[in-house]
Amino acid sequence: KTFWPVTRREKRNMRTSSKMKRKRKSKRKRKARRRTTTTTSYYYDGANWVWDPSLPSAKGPTSGHNAENFANSLAVSSSGQSPTVLVGVPLRPGTEFLSLGDDPIQDYDLGGGISTRPLGVAIEGDRAAIGYGSTVIVLERAEGGVDFVETLTIEAPEGTSRFGASVALEGDHLLVGAPDSDAAGATRAGKAFLFDLTDPEAPTQTFEMAEPVSYERLGWGVAFGEDFVAASAPGGDGVF
């Protein structure tokens, strides 16, 4: 075998290359830590959600939720047959109904990949709503039952975008945000829609800013008050 001598420059390049590799590896580790620590610091211990500030990543009822954006959206109901937590898992995609008692976990998955990733979730008593970007699915739990069953599908009104990014329930009323919808010629100014679940063919009221501005994104978040509704517009003045 023939061994070629290594020059000083080549040795220096080899050392520099090794340092760069170590730096890149360290950078990847830091990025991985940032990705996991910015999800949530709550875990489900089989009976309750418990906060633990020492957790480095999100912990769901089973392993693997970190990579699935577990709890990207969630809602809680203390009424109905049993207290229930509804959790969106958009990168699986699917949603989970978690009981705070001993009831089993229910997975609800429309299937279909990216087009059916859950965006906004809401739950009130034994009724739940899940937004998917072009539709909102309403589910209900029968008396004495455990699982929630799909009962209604509400299609997005024409010309809307990201329909169901946020949802809220109040009795027979459903409030839906569509923050990427255009309004009065303004790009992604956003809209929110109020539906009567006893007659959901068309919204009973549509909410827009009086003078829509592009990228206000009204409807990013929606909520019911005692005698009013609220919709956030993070790209504008805040709350409508």
Side-chain angles (χ1 to χ4, degrees), residues 151-166:
T151 57
L152 186 63
T153 299
I154 299 176
E155 301 291 339
E158 186 176 353
T160 60
S161 181
R162 202 174 161 81
F163 180 76
S166 58

Side-chain angles (χ1 to χ4, degrees), residues 162-178:
R162 202 174 161 81
F163 180 76
S166 58
V167 289
L169 283 165
E170 179 72 28
D172 287 329
H173 293 98
L174 172 69
L175 187 60
V176 182

Side-chain angles (χ1 to χ4, degrees), residues 24-122:
R24 284 195 292 267
K25 187 176 181 180
S26 178
K27 189 175 181 181
R28 284 195 297 269
K29 286 184 177 180
R30 288 197 301 271
K31 282 187 175 180
R33 285 196 294 269
R34 284 199 295 268
R35 283 196 295 268
T36 55
T37 54
T38 55
T39 50
T40 178
S41 293
Y42 290 80
Y43 73 96
Y44 189 70
D45 66 359
N48 297 290
W49 286 90
V50 181
W51 181 63
D52 186 346
S54 66
L55 288 176
S57 60
K59 298 292 183 182
T62 58
S63 63
H65 286 317
N66 294 349
E68 298 168 339
N69 260 9
F70 181 77
N72 183 71
S73 56
L74 77 161
V76 180
S77 175
S78 57
S79 58
Q81 298 180 60
S82 64
T84 306
V85 180
L86 175 56
V87 180
V89 192
L91 298 187
R92 184 176 317 149
T95 51
E96 290 191 358
F97 290 90
L98 309 182
S99 174
L100 297 183
D102 297 325
D103 292 341
I105 295 169
Q106 177 191 352
D107 283 323
Y108 179 78
D109 185 359
L110 279 183
I114 191 170
S115 63
T116 54
R117 289 179 177 176
L119 300 175
V121 297

Side-chain angles (χ1 to χ4, degrees), residues 188-209:
R188 296 184 180 181
K191 296 180 180 180
F193 302 91
L194 182 64
F195 289 88
D196 183 343
L197 294 179
T198 62
D199 184 18
E201 291 299 319
T204 58
Q205 191 169 351
T206 299
F207 301 98
E208 299 179 11
M209 288 294 194

Side-chain angles (χ1 to χ4, degrees), residues 138-158:
V138 178
L139 305 97
E140 294 192 36
R141 178 167 51 191
E143 185 175 353
V146 174
D147 288 353
F148 285 74
V149 179
E150 180 182 333
T151 57
L152 186 63
T153 299
I154 299 176
E155 301 291 339
E158 186 176 353

